[in-house]
Amino acid sequence: AKQNGKNNFQVFTRELDSLMTRRSQMEQALKKALDEQQFALHYQPQVNLASGEVIGYEALLRWQSPYGNVPPSEFIPIAEETGLIVPIGEWALRQACRDAKEFRALGHAAENISVNVSARQFKDPDFSEKVRAIFEQESADPRRFEIEITESVMLDIERSARIICELKALGLRIAIDDFGAGYSSLNVVKNVEIDTLKIDKSLIDEVLINRRNLFILAAIIEVGKNLDARIVIEGIELEEQAELLQPFGIVGQGYLFSRPLPPGSLDAFLSEPDYN
Ligand code: C2E
Ligand code: CA
Ligand code: CA
Ligand code: CA
């Protein structure tokens, strides 16, 4: 292994090099993407597991770049590092307001639309004022919307707690995303009044590996209920998982019910649900 050390290093730097090139290319492309309207929001239904009723949708960003579709796992981190997530995030919120109107025109009153907001957007002290302006300009009702944040927002607890209060005062709900996946999940719910806990996919996956893990999931659900929060389990893929969770009286989201869909396709999903 030792005699290969130098070669390995060369391979490594070459790979790093092309990685860097790819990143800076992507950064350039991302800058153009907003102007050239390459972004779209797709919507994934949130389903009441007991009744099968759709209670809302999560808006998920899609980038149809000239090089093909780039998944959020690739471009969101770069958008966050470069700060481009700030204008992209504003675009997403505005677009969700517009899509919500289209849903209503199609005849279903989307009770809840969840929009993801990056910790980077929370660094802007005027964030809530910007949000207020967007809802006013789009004449959208904030009470139909939820803001999804991850616990990384809470690294700056004082500033974040203030922004969360301001957003709630506008009528928006607050969801903690990826709950149970991090280290300090309980810290988040201790410090602010949240409306929804979104339990990370890894927790339901672990239940299939070992049934005993259902006790952990049940305990987390209990915490959420004591906080008066709505519970959403993410990443339900199997009927078996949905059945296990049915007695808890919670909400589920996952490929079992539907993949995220463009707003125009939701109508078809609603009239012909592929579950139950
Ligand atoms: P997230 O907020 O945790 O969103 C859930 C992700 O899980 C989505 O991936 C969704 O398509 C995927 N998913 C849903 N059901 C299933 C399932 O049954 N199985 C599996 N394997 N996956 C499922 P997506 O759309 O690729 O987004 C990835 C992440 O990118 C999101 O994770 C979120 O952190 C970020 N993201 C997406 N849109 C936005 C946005 O508008 N703003 C910000 N700041 N971040 C966003
Ligand atoms: Ca989310
Ligand atoms: Ca999540
Ligand atoms: Ca996630």
Side-chain angles (χ1 to χ4, degrees):
K2 203 176 177 187
Q3 63 267 37
N4 288 336
K6 198 182 168 205
N7 281 340
N8 283 344
F9 182 70
Q10 281 171 342
V11 169
F12 175 71
T13 49
R14 220 181 302 128
E15 276 175 2
L16 192 66
D17 209 44
S18 71
L19 200 70
M20 294 305 282
T21 311
R22 190 172 156 74
R23 280 181 92 77
S24 71
Q25 277 171 347
M26 200 180 283
E27 186 183 338
Q28 294 310 311
L30 265 177
K31 281 184 182 153
K32 278 199 204 150
L34 262 183
D35 294 335
E36 299 183 358
Q37 302 183 334
Q38 294 167 8
F39 290 113
L41 290 177
H42 284 191
Y43 292 84
Q44 188 176 39
Q46 303 176 321
V47 178
N48 178 326
L49 291 175
S51 67
E53 182 197 4
V54 174
I55 60 110
Y57 299 92
E58 178 177 5
L60 292 154
L61 203 53
R62 295 293 175 263
W63 180 20
Q64 288 126 5
S65 89
Y67 317 100
N69 294 343
V70 186
S73 56
E74 273 191 56
F75 73 83
I76 298 271
I78 295 170
E80 281 174 340
E81 275 169 37
T82 55
L84 286 165
I85 194 66
V86 172
I88 294 172
E90 280 174 35
W91 175 88
L93 199 56
R94 191 179 293 279
Q95 189 60 35
C97 290
R98 294 180 180 174
D99 290 341
K101 277 206 200 91
E102 197 187 316
F103 295 164
R104 228 161 311 144
L106 286 170
H108 54 271
E111 191 188 305
N112 176 61
I113 308 266
S114 300
V115 180
N116 291 283
V117 167
S118 153
R120 181 72 191 251
Q121 291 174 271
F122 262 64
K123 288 215 169 107
D124 176 1
D126 295 327
F127 178 65
S128 52
E129 174 49 30
K130 284 183 179 164
V131 171
R132 193 200 56 77
I134 289 172
F135 278 93
E136 191 183 274
Q137 285 154 14
E138 301 300 325
S139 37
D141 183 356
R143 289 169 303 180
R144 291 178 178 277
F145 291 79
E146 184 166 81
I147 299 291
E148 294 194 4
I149 55 178
T150 57
E151 60 188 21
S152 59
V153 161
M154 304 316 276
L155 291 177
D156 187 351
I157 183 90
E158 260 166 53
R159 190 208 304 257
S160 297
R162 178 180 61 78
I163 294 178
I164 286 170
C165 284
E166 291 169 356
L167 293 173
K168 285 180 70 88
L170 292 175
L172 289 155
R173 285 182 298 276
I174 302 293
I176 302 296
D177 207 350
D178 303 339
F179 191 79
Y183 300 103
S184 55
S185 295
L186 288 173
N187 235 0
V188 183
V189 296
K190 212 165 59 193
N191 282 299
V192 283
E193 222 176 280
I194 54 111
D195 302 281
T196 302
L197 278 190
K198 296 196 76 177
I199 300 181
D200 196 69
K201 182 179 191 308
S202 59
L203 277 114
I204 182 68
D205 287 344
E206 280 160 9
V207 170
L208 284 193
I209 296 164
N210 181 348
R211 270 307 144 86
R212 285 188 57 85
N213 289 322
L214 188 59
F215 291 112
I216 296 169
L217 193 56
I220 292 177
I221 291 170
E222 196 57 31
V223 168
K225 287 191 169 166
N226 285 327
L227 292 166
D228 253 344
R230 173 155 71 184
I231 316 283
V232 180
I233 310 265
E234 296 192 286
I236 299 182
E237 294 179 344
L238 306 167
E239 198 64 61
E240 192 187 352
Q241 292 172 321
E243 273 163 23
L244 266 175
L245 295 168
Q246 220 154 23
F248 291 100
I250 53 179
V251 175
Q253 208 185 315
Y255 294 166
L256 174 67
F257 308 109
S258 172
R259 293 198 170 246
L261 295 171
S265 310
L266 286 174
D267 202 33
F269 169 79
L270 284 172
S271 50
E272 256 181 278
D274 56 5
Y275 57 91
N276 267 354

